[in-house]
Amino acid sequence: MASASPVISESKTQPETKNQKGAATRDQILNAASRLIHVQGYQSTSLDDVLRESGVGKGNFYYYFKSKEDLGYAIIDRIRRAFIERGLGPAFADADADPVGQLHAFFDRVLDSLRQRNCVGGCAMGNLASELSDVHEGFRQQLAGIFDVYRDHLAEAIRRGQRSGRLRSDADAARVAQFLVAGLEGAILLGKVTRDITVIERCVEELKEHLTLYRM
């Protein structure tokens, strides 16, 4: 009976180890593809580029992804989850905080990230939206969904401000949020093309100034 214990333990741990290794390989592919696509674009990044960058063989790639298109969907889903879990979620988690302060802090975090990268790369979802919306309907729909979530988080922060009496009740929260998203994304694009962080800094200042129109 005593000798059975190691056998049971091994049979339990082996599938977990395989799962962990499989998840690591899949992440390795996604990490490499994401880096390349962020700078080169989806269409200019070949499968061979991804294999070379990731160090993963073609057989392993096709075990996890049916095609480059399948990889594209996985990258978009990853961008969505990361943006919600590490960006929007924490930025607006405190329901009692001043929503304008939260929006300012969110803008500043975006600005800080771009400053650290010297404006290189721009916005991952914005880049893909610009590149793919006219050529791939499935990708367009997925990306539009991310921007809907983006707008909805900002709109809900504004509505909280309205309910608490901090912001004017006659403002259309969804329209204000859409304007803020468009303004920030446009600023990121301008910063990317000019490689000048001051362009984004000035746009962020204007967005913050615009928000004062809605304070009580």
Side-chain angles (χ1 to χ4, degrees), residues 44-63:
S44 295
T45 299
S46 68
L47 179 55
D48 285 341
D49 292 335
V50 174
L51 298 179
R52 187 164 48 250
E53 178 75 8
S54 66
V56 172
K58 189 172 285 189
N60 275 343
F61 175 88
Y62 283 114
Y63 180 80

Side-chain angles (χ1 to χ4, degrees), residues 13-34:
T13 57
Q14 269 187 332
E16 292 176 359
T17 302
K18 285 182 179 179
N19 289 341
Q20 289 169 355
K21 185 177 180 181
T25 301
R26 187 176 188 275
D27 283 343
Q28 193 174 333
I29 296 167
L30 284 169
N31 289 339
S34 296

Side-chain angles (χ1 to χ4, degrees), residues 68-108:
K68 183 186 171 186
E69 181 183 55
D70 190 33
L71 174 64
Y73 278 116
I75 288 171
I76 292 171
D77 182 62
R78 191 189 218 205
I79 289 170
R80 179 188 61 78
R81 286 187 288 106
F83 188 40
I84 294 170
E85 293 169 10
R86 299 202 295 268
L88 294 172
F92 301 102
D94 186 352
D96 297 321
D98 174 16
V100 174
Q102 288 179 320
L103 288 164
H104 283 198
F106 176 73
F107 295 159
D108 288 340

Side-chain angles (χ1 to χ4, degrees), residues 92 94-103 152-174 176-177 180 211 213-216:
F92 301 102
D94 186 352
D96 297 321
D98 174 16
V100 174
Q102 288 179 320
L103 288 164
D152 290 347
H153 272 75
L154 271 59
E156 181 52 31
I158 293 166
R159 291 188 190 101
R160 283 194 286 104
Q162 291 172 320
R163 290 193 294 270
S164 66
R166 291 185 174 111
L167 295 174
R168 284 171 32 198
S169 60
D170 61 340
D172 185 324
V176 175
L180 296 175
L211 282 170
L213 298 173
Y214 306 105
R215 279 197 182 275
M216 291 293 288

Side-chain angles (χ1 to χ4, degrees), residues 25-215:
T25 301
R26 187 176 188 275
D27 283 343
Q28 193 174 333
I29 296 167
L30 284 169
N31 289 339
S34 296
R35 284 194 301 270
L36 291 169
I37 290 170
H38 193 187
V39 177
Q40 298 177 182
Y42 174 81
Q43 297 190 91
S44 295
T45 299
S46 68
L47 179 55
D48 285 341
D49 292 335
V50 174
L51 298 179
R52 187 164 48 250
E53 178 75 8
S54 66
V56 172
K58 189 172 285 189
N60 275 343
F61 175 88
Y62 283 114
Y63 180 80
Y64 296 103
F65 303 101
K66 296 175 184 176
S67 61
K68 183 186 171 186
E69 181 183 55
D70 190 33
L71 174 64
Y73 278 116
I75 288 171
I76 292 171
D77 182 62
R78 191 189 218 205
I79 289 170
R80 179 188 61 78
R81 286 187 288 106
F83 188 40
I84 294 170
E85 293 169 10
R86 299 202 295 268
L88 294 172
F92 301 102
D94 186 352
D96 297 321
D98 174 16
V100 174
Q102 288 179 320
L103 288 164
H104 283 198
F106 176 73
F107 295 159
D108 288 340
R109 278 195 290 275
V110 172
L111 182 59
D112 223 33
S113 173
L114 292 162
R115 187 180 289 116
Q116 290 173 26
R117 291 187 277 122
N118 295 317
C119 301
V120 174
C123 170
M125 60 195 185
N127 293 347
L128 289 174
S130 296
E131 179 189 5
L132 299 173
S133 291
D134 290 335
V135 298
H136 195 294
E137 179 60 15
F139 287 166
R140 184 198 67 75
Q141 291 179 7
Q142 294 298 311
L143 290 160
I146 300 176
F147 281 99
D148 285 345
V149 171
Y150 191 173
R151 179 203 61 216
D152 290 347
H153 272 75
L154 271 59
E156 181 52 31
I158 293 166
R159 291 188 190 101
R160 283 194 286 104
Q162 291 172 320
R163 290 193 294 270
S164 66
R166 291 185 174 111
L167 295 174
R168 284 171 32 198
S169 60
D170 61 340
D172 185 324
R175 287 182 62 174
V176 175
Q178 193 78 79
F179 175 81
L180 296 175
V181 170
L184 188 57
E185 287 297 311
I188 294 169
L189 178 60
L190 287 173
K192 179 180 176 180
V193 75
T194 61
R195 293 286 171 87
D196 184 356
I197 192 64
T198 61
V199 171
I200 309 175
E201 289 171 343
R202 290 167 187 160
C203 290
V204 166
E205 286 172 10
E206 289 300 321
L207 289 173
K208 290 179 178 179
E209 184 65 26
H210 180 77
L211 282 170
T212 64
L213 298 173
Y214 306 105
R215 279 197 182 275

